[in-house]
Amino acid sequence: MRLIKQNFERDGSGFVTLFPEEPEDMWYAYNLIRPNDLLRASAIRRVTTESSTGSTSSTRVHTTLTIRVASLDFDPQSSQLHVSGRIAEETKFTKVGQYHTLDLELQRNFTLEKDGEEAWDSVARGIIKEACDPVKSADVWAVVMQEGLANLAVLTGARTVLRQRIEVSIPRKRGGRASDHDKGLEKFFQTTLDTLLRQIDLTESKPILLASPGFTASSFQKFILGTAIRTGNKLLMAQKANLVVVHSSSGHLHSLNEVLQTPEVNARLKDTQYAREGKLMDDFMALLRKDDGRAWYGPNEVEQAVEKGAVGRGGGVLLISNALFRAQDVAIRRRWVKLVDKVRDIEGGEVRTLSSEHESGKRLDGLGGIAAILTFPLDDLDDDDTSEHEVPTENENELRVALAPDCHEIYQTWSYERRWFLRFLQTVEMPFNEQTPLLTTVQVVPRQPRYRHSTLRRFCTIALSTTLIVVVVIFLIPINWLPHNNQDHGWDNTSQSPLPWSTHRPHQSWPASQGMSYQNLQDILLKTPSESKAREWSQYYASGPHLAGKNLTQALWTRERWQQFGVPDSSIVTYDVYLRYPLGHRLALLENNNETDEVDATGEGYEVRYECSMEEDVLTEDPTTGLDNRIPTFHGYSANGDITAQYVFVNFGTHHDFQDLVKANVSLEGKIAIVKYGRGFRGLKVKEAQQLGMAGVVIYSDPQEDGKITEKNGYKPYPHGPARNPSSVQRGSVQFIDVAPGDPTTVGYPSKPGVPRQDPSSILPSIPSVPISYRDAIPLLQALNGYGPPASDFNEYWQGGGLDYLNVSYDIGPSPPSIKLHLVNQQEHITTPLWNVIGIINGTLADEVVIIGNHRDAWVAGGAGDPNSGSAALNELVRSFGVALEKGWKPLRTIVFGSWDGEEYAVIGSTEWVEEYLPWLSKATIAYLNVDIGTSGPLLQVGASPLLQKAVYAATALVQSPNQTVAGQSVRDTWDGHIRSLGSGSDFAAFQDYAGIPSLQFKFTGAPDSPVYHYHSNYDSFHWMDTFGDRDWHYHTTITKIWALAAASLVESPIIPFSATAYAEHLASYLKSIEEKASDIGTLDLLEQQAPFHNLGLALGRFKNATVRFDRSASSLEQQIKRGNIPWWKFWQRLKLFLEVKKVNDGYKYLERHFLYEKGLDGRSWFKHVVYAPGRYTGYSGATFPGLIEAVEDNNKTAVEKWSKIIEERIHSATAWLSR
């Protein structure tokens, strides 16, 4: 941190300008900025302006904003600091009172102003001094390692930070292959050393800890010195004295804490801040154990000690956590500042502020955040009041004199029992003087009976005890012989038995995995997936058509493969669903030659100016594009129609695009819309057009969506290059998935044979639509040149069309009466079977289930990307688990695999399955893990419930990245770590939005320079994947490994690896986003709307506290499990432990269910989740707090109040569930 400018007034107010240079500087800023401070920093703000014609445009501008701080959010892993508050100074783009979040960035100034008396107190100034200390740097570097794994960490003055995780596969030592092991180990050492040298400055002399089990660390030390000698690196050789080799229990980062406690490490680190703080805590704990009155902790006790002058010169030390200075209440913060000032400036004692991110600070936080070592002993600081039975202080002082010298030591050690000792001495009326003997003679008389009728009482006690024993025996014997129903409780017979000699656990090796160690299971899941196998499965699935309801052969083949892989319980589940298949279509551009507007279906009076091919080119290089049974271009569930009408270009056909056209007075009714694909679900484009009275819709793929990989930029089209083939057509469904997914005739119940059918007209379009290629779209768009306003007259969202170089001006139209489109669409309406393939691996716990799924159907003969890159990965995942089963593993929890049919039409197969098995799913399911498009490029994209955040990060950190920029990088290292919310458009929809089951979806998607992925086109083929998409098939196996490891952690961890705190934090951020949107819209009366948002904020605050407590309890229970087995004879402790585990796991499992609202969202009651749903104008992307955000967007104050109350009630329900 660099100090740019500071100005402190005498009254303690003033400002400071700082320049953060390193990630750790954000930690100091987090401890420095407080609520009610003024913060000035650069920001990006979206500004909406309205032109004279009434059209609006939105731009992002860079500006400098000053906010009054309301809250802070610090991410310790990424060192990101987000500061929220209301704008305090009006600018050109903002008004006072608007809400904004500033993201403080490295290498950018920020100014912090504190007003008010003593705002810049001694603690705040001390933080600035420490942060800007030019010699501030890392105290210690540490490498915690084992063969194939190394964690590089740095211990700074404030935190312990993991800088890099390195994983290298090392072959095992087997007969004749020792050299392979040695080469692998050398490669691992070289990668670790290279990474270390990139991180540290060899010119500084800092300790470097090398810790490992066995001899890995010492071997690495020899490798470092050998490399230094071999390369002549004198600076590296000079580090010999700084290398400290020490033993650890494992190569994982958590072992660093035990390493730092070892004597040899403490000796080497004695001069570091970390060691000094740790020694202070050790000294304090030693004094506390001695209980001589010199060590006290807790706010009241420490304050009393300071008031009595016991924390001053001569050894007095005040230990205080920096977390106390981050108090939201200014009065509480001042309380601690005054205490620090008094000890340091008046009493002359030592004050040490410990970082809550260090081990010593965490230990201090466990004691209330404050403790003190006194210069002289004080007793009974925790006794605020003296009861009537306690001995007065005068007698206590007299007792000190009366006791013999040896008894003074006894008195000192009896810190809690001395009042009873005094009472005893008073009872025997012992005179208090120097001659008082320690022993005296007491008259002993025969003992009197304690009670009258003692013989009768003894008889009754014996009789009642005998009766109780008989009842217990009678109760236990039948329980031991009666059969148990595993399906009800999930524990096996021996586990569930309450008898003392039973194990009270799911299986004998619990908490370890059954049949093999968890590490061995991970090794299998990492090593089994094969590129050649993934390629083989992809080639099969993408070799022919497999449209929904027409892929029974593939369903049977998939079931047979799973059974061969070791999952014999694999079956086909059938549903009868309503579908529409293509029969015929036409799209022609007509021109009038007879000066009449009359035209019939045959085109009488008009001539065909251009006939759209409605076909994709057959490519000799790509075999599946020329199949005789290839699927025509069409829109699933499109309405039948034969219409001839003028047409209008409507950009991407979003809700805002249509609003722009209405404001511009463009005539839409009765016209055909020409629409670009992108920026939303195609069905909602048709829905918007239908609601505005348009007659039909034509959708094409504009090269604008392909970024820079276009023919315009010199790239050759597929199959000769990475650009889009001009004839490619995107097929797809046009069902209104914002209303409900699944069979449109059986919304809310499974589509089984014979069930009543509903009218689907509210979910399916009533106007026809067809997809075309951009090659077919060019003549249609060129015919609009010169008609209507140009797109350039509209806002930024209308700019950037990719066909401008082909004489397309993107004029809006409508076309003149002499130029029309003839659109024909004919489809067959049919009820036909769908086939889901379901595989089950039964676990020990039948009531805890993890579901893994991918859909199998495709719009084309290929589908190598969507969905069959995911299908190939699912097969490899099932095969990997099958290998583990073959080697003796049995899962703790039950695993269900789903190969869904009918996803492309409306997520039908999975939705009908969820609707049928909803009671069981609600009771048993922990999570659903989905992969749709497994890979179409190199960038990982993850969407998930925040509960699953921990599992996602852990799985990605274990898998090597296929696109490493540094050797040894994991997927987590090359991924930006962003996890988005889920919307709709894939098979997680029913699990999350209808059943409240935490869900996630992985996929590798394209980068800006990746080959164009031909979504839902014939060119999404095996040949494209093998040539451009994933030529080495590494991304197929990588997605398999991430998927499998995430599933394994959920299946095998004794405590479900969920993060309830992350869920609470995301809910708070969602609410903040809605508040900002309400402020930006400017049409809401914010003064009237403060109460709903305020109440929600309070409810979320209580929920956050409950989640923190619950996660802490789960973590503590997990540590208790890891400490070891409980002796068999302490059966009550075993029973208590496993009941606590069951309670915690149930807490996690049912948490998200508490956010379901039975009546559903307004106008789309199928969606039950109050937190997540597809956006009503986007479909694919998710909306958070959908009921509330829609009410805000509609300026509906009644709905705002309604949904605020509903959400608040659901939050209270979840809070109560965790606090039960």
Side-chain angles (χ1 to χ4, degrees):
M1 187 90 77
R2 193 193 316 161
L3 179 62
I4 304 299
K5 186 178 181 180
Q6 70 176 22
N7 181 22
F8 298 144
E9 304 294 340
R10 290 184 178 181
D11 63 355
S13 62
F15 71 89
V16 62
T17 301
L18 298 171
F19 184 78
E21 299 174 299
E22 301 177 0
E24 188 176 353
D25 292 338
M26 291 302 177
W27 169 253
Y28 289 107
Y30 175 54
N31 286 279
L32 190 62
I33 302 171
R34 299 269 53 84
N36 294 321
D37 290 350
L38 287 174
L39 179 65
R40 185 178 297 107
S42 62
I44 298 176
R45 183 83 174 180
R46 182 175 291 279
V47 178
T48 302
T49 58
E50 185 173 348
S51 67
S52 59
T53 62
S55 64
T56 60
S57 62
S58 180
T59 58
R60 297 168 65 88
V61 297
H62 289 267
T63 184
T64 299
L65 299 180
T66 302
I67 67 171
R68 178 73 67 178
V69 177
S71 63
L72 298 91
D73 180 25
F74 178 69
D75 184 352
Q77 296 298 324
S78 61
S79 296
Q80 293 181 345
L81 179 58
H82 313 288
V83 187
S84 301
R86 298 199 178 274
I87 294 175
E89 296 180 2
E90 186 168 337
T91 69
K92 177 181 178 182
F93 307 109
T94 60
K95 296 181 180 180
V96 174
Q98 289 183 321
Y99 205 88
H100 190 82
T101 298
L102 289 175
D103 298 327
L104 296 190
E105 300 177 352
L106 296 179
Q107 312 300 322
R108 286 185 182 270
N109 290 354
F110 69 87
T111 298
L112 180 66
E113 182 177 348
K114 295 178 181 282
D115 48 18
E117 186 178 354
E118 297 181 0
W120 284 103
D121 51 49
S122 60
V123 173
R125 298 189 189 199
I127 292 173
I128 294 177
K129 182 179 180 181
E130 182 180 353
C132 299
D133 183 358
V135 300
K136 173 177 63 71
S137 62
D139 277 343
V140 183
W141 287 91
V143 181
V144 185
M145 60 195 315
Q146 63 191 37
E147 284 196 3
L149 172 66
N151 290 279
L152 176 59
V154 57
L155 279 72
T156 68
R159 298 193 293 154
T160 301
V161 182
L162 175 65
R163 284 293 180 85
Q164 191 79 41
R165 179 185 175 92
I166 302 155
E167 288 185 276
V168 175
S169 178
I170 300 177
R172 295 183 179 180
K173 279 189 176 180
R174 295 177 178 171
R177 295 189 61 186
S179 60
D180 293 343
H181 174 270
D182 295 340
K183 290 178 181 178
L185 187 61
E186 182 178 355
K187 178 183 176 182
F188 167 59
F189 283 161
Q190 187 64 57
T191 302
T192 304
L193 178 58
D194 292 342
T195 305
L196 180 63
L197 293 179
R198 282 192 297 271
Q199 298 284 347
I200 67 174
D201 185 356
L202 293 180
T203 61
E204 295 183 357
S205 181
K206 297 288 186 181
I208 303 175
L209 305 182
L210 307 178
S212 75
F215 301 99
T216 306
S218 59
S219 299
F220 183 50
Q221 181 194 34
K222 294 176 182 178
F223 180 83
I224 292 174
L225 299 178
T227 301
I229 295 172
R230 187 175 66 256
T231 60
N233 190 333
K234 295 182 180 180
L235 288 176
L236 183 59
M237 179 58 71
Q239 296 294 326
K240 179 178 180 180
N242 295 325
L243 299 175
V244 182
V245 178
V246 65
H247 180 270
S248 66
S249 60
S250 76
H252 295 281
L253 188 61
H254 62 76
S255 298
L256 183 58
N257 289 334
E258 67 183 64
V259 169
L260 295 172
Q261 304 300 320
T262 59
E264 60 267 33
V265 172
N266 281 329
R268 291 295 301 272
L269 307 185
K270 61 182 180 180
D271 295 329
T272 65
Q273 178 178 340
Y274 181 93
R276 290 192 296 269
E277 293 179 354
K279 186 176 185 306
L280 277 174
M281 283 303 301
D282 291 339
D283 293 344
F284 173 80
M285 297 304 294
L287 288 173
L288 191 64
R289 283 189 291 270
K290 287 178 63 176
D291 198 13
D292 64 354
R294 286 193 58 218
W296 288 93
Y297 64 90
N300 295 331
E301 290 79 358
V302 172
E303 286 181 317
Q304 291 181 55
V306 173
E307 288 296 325
K308 294 180 181 181
V311 191
R313 294 180 180 86
V317 182
L318 175 66
L319 305 173
I320 188 167
S321 170
N322 60 9
L324 295 183
F325 298 115
R326 297 196 294 270
Q328 300 289 320
D329 192 327
V330 176
I332 294 176
R333 175 184 167 85
R334 287 180 176 173
R335 171 187 178 186
W336 305 125
V337 172
K338 289 180 180 179
L339 187 68
V340 167
D341 291 344
K342 182 171 183 179
V343 171
R344 183 170 51 207
D345 301 333
I346 300 176
E347 300 295 337
E350 181 183 359
V351 177
R352 298 305 297 266
T353 303
L354 306 189
S355 170
S356 58
E357 289 290 300
H358 267 325
E359 186 66 24
S360 55
K362 293 176 182 178
R363 293 165 66 188
L364 181 60
D365 287 342
L367 300 175
I370 189 168
I373 299 175
L374 312 187
T375 55
F376 55 84
L378 291 176
D379 300 317
D380 296 333
L381 291 180
D382 52 354
D383 296 336
D384 296 332
D385 301 315
T386 303
S387 68
E388 59 181 354
H389 300 294
E390 291 183 355
V391 182
T393 306
E394 294 78 7
N395 289 349
E396 185 173 345
N397 292 334
E398 293 174 4
L399 177 61
R400 291 178 180 271
V401 179
L403 294 176
D406 292 339
C407 210
H408 280 290
E409 182 178 352
I410 299 174
Y411 177 87
Q412 291 292 341
T413 60
W414 287 2
S415 58
Y416 295 103
E417 283 76 21
R418 56 181 179 272
R419 70 184 65 176
W420 311 112
F421 185 43
L422 290 167
R423 189 180 302 163
F424 164 72
L425 294 179
Q426 284 186 329
T427 303
V428 297
E429 298 181 355
M430 180 179 290
F432 300 124
N433 53 56
E434 287 82 351
Q435 287 76 35
T436 299
L438 291 177
L439 299 176
T440 185
T441 302
V442 180
Q443 181 69 35
V444 178
V445 297
R447 178 185 177 188
Q448 296 295 321
R450 187 177 179 184
Y451 303 102
R452 298 177 61 190
H453 312 295
S454 58
T455 302
L456 177 61
R457 292 174 63 89
R458 186 176 298 111
F459 171 80
C460 291
T461 300
I462 295 172
L464 290 174
S465 299
T466 303
T467 303
L468 179 61
I469 292 172
V470 170
V471 169
V472 170
V473 170
I474 292 174
F475 176 74
L476 289 181
I477 289 177
I479 286 182
N480 194 39
W481 290 98
L482 286 174
H484 294 262
N485 183 4
N486 292 339
Q487 298 300 322
D488 290 339
H489 48 66
W491 305 79
D492 63 21
N493 293 352
T494 306
S495 306
Q496 188 68 10
S497 172
L499 297 178
W501 51 86
S502 65
T503 61
H504 299 289
R505 52 187 173 182
H507 52 71
Q508 293 295 327
S509 56
W510 192 93
S513 297
Q514 186 176 8
M516 68 172 58
S517 69
Y518 182 58
Q519 185 173 358
N520 287 344
L521 174 62
Q522 288 182 321
D523 288 341
I524 289 173
L525 299 180
L526 284 169
K527 295 176 181 178
T528 302
S530 160
E531 285 81 4
S532 62
K533 284 293 184 182
R535 187 179 187 275
E536 178 183 348
W537 310 141
S538 177
Q539 190 168 18
Y540 168 78
Y541 281 118
S543 61
H546 40 291
L547 194 61
K550 295 187 176 183
N551 57 71
L552 177 59
T553 301
Q554 284 196 358
L556 295 170
W557 182 90
T558 300
R559 182 187 64 180
E560 291 170 3
R561 294 292 81 72
W562 289 5
Q563 291 171 342
Q564 290 176 1
F565 296 158
V567 185
D569 190 5
S570 297
S571 59
I572 294 178
V573 179
T574 305
Y575 298 95
D576 281 0
V577 302
Y578 173 79
L579 297 177
R580 295 178 183 176
Y581 291 131
L583 294 176
H585 55 208
R586 185 200 186 198
L587 183 67
L589 179 64
L590 305 181
E591 188 172 13
N592 186 351
N593 291 326
N594 299 322
E595 298 181 353
T596 175
D597 292 343
E598 299 298 324
V599 62
D600 59 19
T602 65
E604 185 69 28
Y606 281 71
E607 69 175 10
V608 176
R609 179 169 167 178
Y610 180 80
E611 184 79 42
C612 296
S613 71
M614 311 290 282
E615 283 277 350
E616 295 175 286
D617 292 345
V618 175
L619 308 177
T620 57
E621 297 87 347
D622 193 339
T624 55
T625 64
L627 293 176
D628 293 337
N629 60 346
R630 61 186 183 274
I631 300 171
T633 59
F634 79 110
H635 280 157
Y637 284 136
S638 177
N640 288 335
D642 185 342
I643 57 175
T644 303
Q646 295 167 261
Y647 62 100
V648 181
F649 172 67
V650 298
N651 199 29
F652 288 93
T654 67
H655 176 71
H656 298 292
D657 290 338
F658 278 107
Q659 284 185 325
D660 292 338
L661 293 173
V662 172
K663 290 179 182 178
N665 294 317
V666 175
S667 174
L668 299 176
E669 187 172 358
K671 308 296 190 299
I672 296 174
I674 304 294
V675 193
K676 299 176 187 175
Y677 270 115
R679 300 184 186 177
F681 179 64
R682 71 188 71 78
L684 301 188
K685 301 173 188 286
V686 178
K687 183 179 182 181
E688 290 283 344
Q690 176 180 308
Q691 291 175 340
L692 290 171
M694 302 193 76
V697 177
V698 177
I699 312 180
Y700 77 99
S701 299
D702 195 289
Q704 175 180 356
E705 290 301 288
D706 299 337
K708 66 179 182 180
I709 310 299
T710 63
E711 288 189 81
K712 177 181 178 181
N713 292 330
Y715 293 91
K716 292 183 177 181
Y718 177 77
H720 305 295
R724 179 182 300 277
N725 186 292
S727 70
S728 70
V729 178
Q730 181 190 140
R731 299 152 181 82
S733 172
V734 289
Q735 177 172 336
F736 304 157
I737 61 170
D738 64 319
V739 179
D743 187 330
T745 65
T746 61
V747 177
Y749 55 92
S751 186
K752 305 296 285 187
V755 300
R757 300 281 170 173
Q758 306 168 11
D759 179 6
S761 59
S762 62
I763 303 178
L764 301 183
S766 60
I767 62 175
S769 66
V770 292
I772 63 173
S773 66
Y774 82 73
R775 185 172 65 191
D776 277 343
I778 290 173
L780 313 186
L781 296 171
Q782 289 174 339
L784 286 177
N785 288 351
Y787 296 105
S792 57
D793 287 353
F794 289 78
N795 57 49
E796 63 181 295
Y797 299 106
W798 286 76
Q799 312 309 315
L803 299 174
D804 55 351
Y805 74 107
L806 296 174
N807 191 30
V808 173
S809 61
Y810 290 101
D811 289 341
I812 305 302
S815 63
S818 61
I819 298 177
K820 296 183 179 182
L821 285 180
H822 181 208
L823 188 158
V824 178
N825 185 60
Q826 292 296 324
Q827 295 191 4
E828 173 189 20
H829 299 199
I830 188 172
T831 299
T832 186
L834 287 187
W835 301 283
N836 293 336
V837 182
I838 303 296
I840 301 174
I841 301 177
N842 289 308
T844 306
L845 303 180
D847 65 341
E848 292 182 8
V849 178
V850 176
I851 303 175
I852 303 167
N854 157 266
H855 77 91
R856 188 181 62 254
D857 62 304
W859 290 112
V860 293
D866 179 12
N868 299 135
S869 57
S871 305
L874 179 59
N875 275 2
E876 277 304 85
L877 181 145
V878 176
R879 191 172 70 86
S880 299
F881 278 117
V883 171
L885 291 170
E886 185 179 11
K887 294 185 177 181
W889 171 69
K890 181 177 182 181
L892 174 65
R893 299 182 176 93
T894 295
I895 306 173
V896 175
F897 305 106
S899 175
W900 314 114
D901 193 7
E903 185 273 356
E904 295 291 7
Y905 267 82
V907 199
I908 299 177
S910 57
T911 299
E912 302 308 312
W913 191 77
V914 169
E915 289 175 343
E916 180 176 13
Y917 295 102
L918 181 63
W920 171 73
L921 291 170
S922 299
K923 177 182 178 182
T925 308
I926 291 172
Y928 173 69
L929 314 183
N930 189 66
V931 168
D932 191 329
I933 304 174
T935 177
S936 62
L939 298 182
L940 180 66
Q941 187 179 96
V942 181
S945 164
L947 286 174
L948 289 158
Q949 178 175 294
K950 185 193 298 185
V952 171
Y953 289 142
T956 53
L958 292 172
V959 181
Q960 291 285 292
S961 173
N963 59 334
Q964 298 177 12
T965 57
V966 177
Q969 283 183 312
S970 66
V971 173
R972 179 68 183 91
D973 295 329
T974 58
W975 169 45
D976 62 8
H978 175 66
I979 299 177
R980 62 185 179 89
S981 60
L982 294 170
S984 186
S986 195
D987 291 298
F988 54 78
F991 291 93
Q992 173 186 267
D993 301 333
Y994 188 74
I997 294 168
S999 303
L1000 70 81
Q1001 175 164 278
F1002 302 101
K1003 70 175 178 180
F1004 281 103
T1005 189
D1009 57 351
S1010 296
V1012 173
Y1013 172 55
H1014 296 74
Y1015 181 61
H1016 288 180
S1017 160
N1018 274 346
Y1019 307 131
D1020 178 13
S1021 61
F1022 178 81
H1023 179 267
W1024 180 89
M1025 184 65 70
D1026 204 34
T1027 308
F1028 291 97
D1030 187 11
R1031 282 177 289 188
D1032 297 319
W1033 298 84
H1034 293 323
Y1035 287 95
H1036 280 73
T1037 56
T1038 300
I1039 201 71
T1040 303
K1041 294 172 184 178
I1042 298 172
W1043 201 4
L1045 290 173
S1049 67
L1050 295 170
V1051 169
E1052 284 299 290
S1053 298
I1055 302 293
I1056 299 172
F1058 278 3
S1059 174
T1061 304
Y1063 201 96
E1065 291 171 348
H1066 278 72
L1067 295 189
S1069 69
Y1070 301 156
L1071 180 63
K1072 184 187 303 181
S1073 175
I1074 294 177
E1075 285 185 281
E1076 292 178 356
K1077 186 161 190 175
S1079 175
D1080 290 340
I1081 289 175
T1083 55
L1084 282 175
D1085 184 352
L1086 295 178
L1087 293 176
E1088 294 182 15
Q1089 297 301 321
Q1090 286 285 340
F1093 289 123
H1094 178 70
N1095 293 338
L1096 279 176
L1098 294 177
L1100 285 174
R1102 289 188 287 269
F1103 179 59
K1104 172 70 177 296
N1105 293 335
T1107 61
V1108 170
R1109 289 192 299 269
F1110 191 83
D1111 282 348
R1112 188 182 298 132
S1113 173
S1115 178
S1116 175
L1117 191 60
E1118 189 172 22
Q1119 294 302 318
Q1120 182 180 349
I1121 291 171
K1122 290 179 179 179
R1123 282 196 289 270
N1125 291 328
I1126 301 172
W1128 68 268
W1129 47 272
K1130 292 186 178 180
F1131 62 91
W1132 62 92
Q1133 291 187 11
R1134 288 189 175 197
L1135 181 59
K1136 178 183 177 183
L1137 174 64
F1138 292 105
L1139 290 176
E1140 288 176 348
V1141 169
K1142 189 68 173 172
K1143 180 179 179 181
V1144 167
N1145 285 340
D1146 283 348
Y1148 279 137
K1149 182 170 68 172
Y1150 297 121
L1151 174 59
E1152 191 144 2
R1153 316 278 206 278
H1154 284 267
F1155 291 94
L1156 297 179
Y1157 177 59
E1158 182 59 32
K1159 294 182 180 180
L1161 300 179
D1162 294 339
R1164 40 187 186 147
S1165 59
W1166 186 90
F1167 294 97
K1168 309 296 184 184
H1169 211 302
V1170 302
V1171 180
Y1172 300 111
R1176 60 175 173 171
Y1177 298 138
T1178 59
Y1180 282 134
S1181 61
T1184 52
F1185 289 137
L1188 184 58
I1189 189 63
E1190 291 169 14
V1192 168
E1193 290 173 343
D1194 295 340
N1195 193 19
N1196 188 333
K1197 298 176 182 179
T1198 302
V1200 168
E1201 293 176 356
K1202 169 189 172 180
W1203 279 103
S1204 296
K1205 292 178 181 178
I1206 291 172
I1207 295 169
E1208 184 181 354
E1209 189 273 331
R1210 293 292 82 213
I1211 294 171
H1212 288 323
S1213 174
T1215 303
W1217 171 251
L1218 293 181
S1219 304
R1220 71 196 192 284

